[in-house]
Amino acid sequence: MSIVVVIDSADGTIKKGSREAVSYATQMGGDVIALALGDAPENELASLGKNGASKVITVAGEFHSIQEAATAVAEVMNNVGADTLVLAQSAKASAIGGRVAVKQGASMASNVVALPDTANGFSVKTSIFSGKAFANVSLSKEKKILVVSKNVVDIKEDGGDAVVEAGSVNIPDADKNITVTGQEKASGDVLLTDADIVVSAGRGLKGPENWGMIEDLAKALGAATGCSKPVSDMDWRPHSEHVGQTGIKVAPTLYIAIGISGAIQHLAGVNSSKHIVVINTDEEALFFKAADYGIVGDAFEIIPQLTEAIKAL
Amino acid sequence: MKILVCITHVPDTTSKISFTEGDTKFDSTGVQYIIGPYDDYAIARAVELKESNGAAITVLNVGGVETEPTIRKALAIGADEAIRVNAAPADSLFVAQQIAHVAKDGSYDLILMGRESIDYNGGQVHAMVGEILGIPSISPVMKLEIEGSKAIMSREIEGGKEFLEAELPFVAGCQEPIAEWKIPNMRGIMTARTKPLNVVEPVSEDAAVTYGTYEMPAPKSGVKMASSVDELVDLLKNDAKVL
Ligand SMILES: Cc1cc2nc3c(=O)[nH]c(=O)nc-3n(C[C@H](O)[C@H](O)[C@H](O)COP(=O)(O)OP(=O)(O)OC[C@H]3O[C@@H](n4cnc5c(N)ncnc54)[C@H](O)[C@@H]3O)c2cc1C
């Protein structure tokens, strides 16, 4: 059996989720081939060997359209005779997987949170209802596509470097049917979806002018900043920071919620966090019920103190 | 312009999630159903495009007769007609095949839906429909303007957003701030009653995955409250070991 894992990188660095996906595939057993679409430095790609890849195949191109990415993935799967495709969870990964599933007649599961159970057929546990429940899903087709959530497996780091080679795929021009005219980076240095620590604030902060202390705390922790939906709806913060059921779903090691009441729709985006800290003036705030640590008090007093205490560590 | 808007019929976001029949079936007792919040953005943007550019909007749902009140709500918001494919939405591929079949017959210029459903959160139906039809699929779309045969958009990418253009037709998975949710007004609700809602039988395709048992997450063991900032930092350092 061979497994293809799609690798995502940003600014020349492979994303943590992709290394987890390679480690996941390695634990499944079989030959793991990493597939990098677009540019990334060769030594960075070779280091995927440590995570368990036997080989890295690169395909040059822009891959603006999901169509061209899916064509490349399906062709590489055919070339290496893979029966399984693994991707790290993202909106783009689910879309690529969806198109490849149609091309390959494959069974597909997204939001996979555990290694497959192959005792009786092939089934995986997936997160559903925005993290409020899990489903055990059987994949009946011969080919399988798994889109794996973050933090499901530890990253394996004991192998040697992998061979990197250019794959030969033929992408029809008709697949390159999207013109990208520009990009805008989200504010902040740390990517919200990849962050190990997230500092998130809500309507309790009263106005956009008060976010300086949130950014200071995030900086002290090396964290990304997030917010509740009303905050981005009122344009206090950009939409790219909106966390929750209808926003970004995060799974950091530490999620710090400041002046957020803990509405069920907000919790749906944060319930995969390992540790949740809640800071709120209202001891009855719903969020405390979903938290691991809490402190009742005024954010305007607590946050500057907390930032100083962390800087002093 | 002809727009097809695909909607899901899902439990309200505040619903208590639980299962029955030996954890093999979602317990819908007392659950209020809504248009999927992302699909609700799609329908809202379609109605705005109808007002600005002129368009005929067909709303589509794959589901049993119980989804008709949800479909009527989409008609009340401003869709002109509706199609219900009379089948349980077995899995994403099955649903995509039904949508693609309807889309082929209707030659739509634009197929809109939410970026994902809020029950199974697959986020793949738009891509599958695009692949079956051999047209682009773009998601999550945060802005969508139509100029002639071209669409001007922005989409979310990890770490920011991207501005792009594509020729019609294509499939778009929508998310905020593409439009603001619309609440049906009284006139909309009245006219929705007489708008056509056609029921069609599914094209038989088999599902590629089957759902077995369901589980609930383990409950949190309880919050540890700190009475001072120092105590909080101590807990994070020595209990959670994250600092
Ligand atoms: C379909 C649907 C989807 C939704 N999706 C999302 C989503 O994805 N994400 C999301 O966040 N919301 C979502 N919502 C909205 C959600 O229901 C809540 O309205 C929202 O999360 C509340 O935001 P908040 O906690 O910032 O504000 P509030 O509920 O107003 O809470 C403010 C909190 O701040 C506290 N506070 C006030 N002053 C201070 C202070 N000085 N110091 C410390 N604490 C203070 C208050 O005690 C309160 O708990 C959705 C709603 C619907 C209907």
Side-chain angles (χ1 to χ4, degrees):
Chain A
M1 183 177 80
S2 97
I3 304 174
V4 167
V5 182
V6 177
I7 303 304
D8 210 1
S9 60
D11 303 326
T13 305
I14 292 166
K15 290 192 179 162
K16 182 175 160 233
S18 294
R19 292 195 186 274
E20 288 178 351
V22 170
S23 307
Y24 179 98
T26 306
Q27 285 193 38
M28 281 176 70
D31 187 27
V32 177
I33 295 157
L35 166 59
L37 303 177
D39 292 332
E42 182 161 337
N43 57 343
E44 177 77 358
L45 291 174
S47 73
L48 286 163
K50 293 192 176 58
N51 314 129
S54 70
K55 183 158 87 179
V56 183
I57 295 178
T58 60
V59 180
E62 299 275 6
F63 299 100
H64 288 317
S65 84
I66 297 298
Q67 242 165 317
E68 47 183 320
T71 297
V73 171
E75 228 178 284
V76 168
M77 283 180 76
N78 291 342
N79 291 347
V80 303
D83 57 5
T84 305
L85 175 68
V86 174
L87 306 101
Q89 187 79 48
S90 73
K92 190 173 156 195
S94 301
I96 293 173
R99 293 197 85 118
V100 175
V102 171
K103 285 181 195 288
Q104 300 270 5
S107 290
M108 172 172 173
S110 292
N111 304 300
V112 172
V113 296
L115 284 162
D117 178 356
T118 51
N120 196 350
F122 187 104
S123 80
V124 286
K125 184 168 165 179
T126 66
S127 154
I128 57 170
F129 289 107
S130 311
K132 289 178 221 161
F134 299 105
N136 293 301
V137 187
S138 296
L139 284 71
S140 51
K141 304 281 183 192
E142 201 184 311
K143 290 192 176 167
K144 293 164 177 76
I145 301 176
L146 303 176
V147 186
V148 181
S149 296
K150 299 201 166 117
N151 300 332
V152 170
V153 293
D154 291 331
I155 294 175
K156 177 176 140 35
E157 305 230 29
D158 53 6
D161 276 0
V163 194
V164 181
E165 63 181 51
S168 77
V169 300
N170 198 350
I171 299 166
D173 280 344
D175 280 1
K176 300 174 186 166
N177 43 29
I178 282 168
T179 313
V180 169
T181 55
Q183 277 191 354
E184 196 178 286
K185 286 226 182 278
S187 53
D189 305 330
V190 185
L191 196 58
L192 182 56
T193 45
D194 257 11
D196 231 21
I197 305 181
V198 174
V199 175
S200 199
R203 203 146 53 179
L205 269 268
K206 315 277 188 283
E209 66 281 5
N210 297 324
W211 248 262
M213 62 178 189
I214 300 298
E215 281 168 353
D216 287 347
L217 175 60
K219 203 155 178 211
L221 286 164
T225 47
C227 69
S228 66
K229 178 168 158 61
V231 165
S232 66
D233 282 349
M234 290 182 293
D235 275 335
W236 292 1
R237 300 296 293 176
H239 276 281
S240 54
E241 287 195 3
H242 158 199
V243 169
Q245 180 148 28
T246 51
I248 307 268
K249 289 163 189 83
V250 296
T253 308
L254 178 63
Y255 185 80
I256 305 181
I258 304 158
I260 303 177
S261 58
I264 192 162
Q265 298 95 348
H266 187 85
L267 297 182
V270 307
N271 50 21
S272 305
S273 310
K274 223 176 217 160
H275 303 281
I276 295 178
V277 174
V278 169
I279 300 169
N280 200 303
T281 41
D282 176 10
E283 61 179 334
E284 301 282 313
L286 264 179
F287 220 143
F288 285 119
K289 292 201 170 61
D292 300 287
Y293 305 99
I295 181 163
V296 177
D298 185 348
F300 292 90
E301 288 167 21
I302 291 173
I303 300 309
Q305 286 179 31
L306 183 59
T307 306
E308 286 315 310
I310 284 161
K311 278 187 188 158
L313 284 178
Chain B
M1 180 164 57
K2 287 181 73 181
I3 306 177
L4 182 67
V5 182
C6 310
I7 62 166
T8 53
H9 161 87
V10 291
D12 171 44
T13 51
T14 58
S15 305
K16 184 176 176 307
I17 306 299
S18 59
F19 302 94
T20 60
E21 297 179 23
D23 285 332
T24 58
K25 207 168 161 263
F26 176 67
D27 186 357
S28 58
T29 316
V31 169
Q32 186 105 22
Y33 281 84
I34 57 167
I35 299 174
Y38 293 114
D39 313 327
D40 225 356
Y41 286 122
I43 183 97
R45 187 61 194 139
V47 170
E48 289 174 1
L49 285 171
K50 177 178 161 179
E51 284 158 6
S52 60
N53 298 40
I57 305 171
T58 304
V59 60
L60 169 65
N61 169 258
V62 180
V65 66
E66 70 281 1
T67 72
E68 290 195 0
T70 304
I71 299 175
R72 289 276 175 215
K73 187 176 168 215
L75 291 169
I77 291 170
D80 300 294
E81 55 162 13
I83 300 170
R84 177 171 69 82
V85 177
N86 187 27
D91 77 346
S92 357
L93 186 61
F94 176 84
V95 170
Q97 281 157 338
Q98 307 310 322
I99 294 171
H101 186 73
V102 168
K104 257 180 214 148
D105 281 353
S107 56
Y108 295 93
D109 302 294
L110 191 57
I111 302 172
L112 301 182
M113 62 184 78
R115 63 172 286 175
E116 66 183 53
S117 68
I118 62 156
D119 48 6
Y120 287 88
N121 309 105
Q124 64 218 36
V125 171
H126 40 76
M128 289 175 166
V129 171
E131 185 63 30
I132 297 168
L133 295 172
I135 58 176
S137 54
I138 304 166
S139 182
V141 176
M142 304 164 75
K143 177 179 161 257
L144 170 66
E145 302 288 347
I146 306 291
E147 280 180 15
S149 66
K150 191 171 75 178
I152 297 151
M153 289 167 278
S154 72
R155 78 173 155 195
E156 181 191 287
I157 53 173
E158 286 207 334
K161 65 177 165 183
E162 198 165 67
F163 304 95
L164 56 141
E165 298 180 0
E167 289 291 318
L168 301 176
F170 60 84
V171 188
C174 302
Q175 81 165 34
E176 63 163 35
I178 194 166
E180 294 212 3
W181 288 326
K182 292 196 185 331
I183 297 158
N185 59 26
M186 198 38 93
R187 208 180 84 87
I189 293 165
M190 298 301 286
T191 55
R193 289 186 191 154
T194 54
K195 286 179 180 172
L197 193 171
N198 302 310
V199 179
V200 301
E201 290 307 312
V203 284
S204 67
E205 296 285 354
D206 58 347
V209 306
T210 46
Y211 289 85
T213 52
Y214 296 94
E215 295 169 30
M216 296 302 289
K220 283 263 177 194
S221 55
V223 54
K224 293 184 181 156
M225 296 303 287
S227 52
S228 69
V229 169
D230 287 344
E231 196 186 331
L232 179 65
V233 170
D234 182 62
L235 281 169
L236 292 178
K237 203 170 157 209
N238 299 314
D239 193 55
K241 299 187 168 57
V242 290
L243 293 182

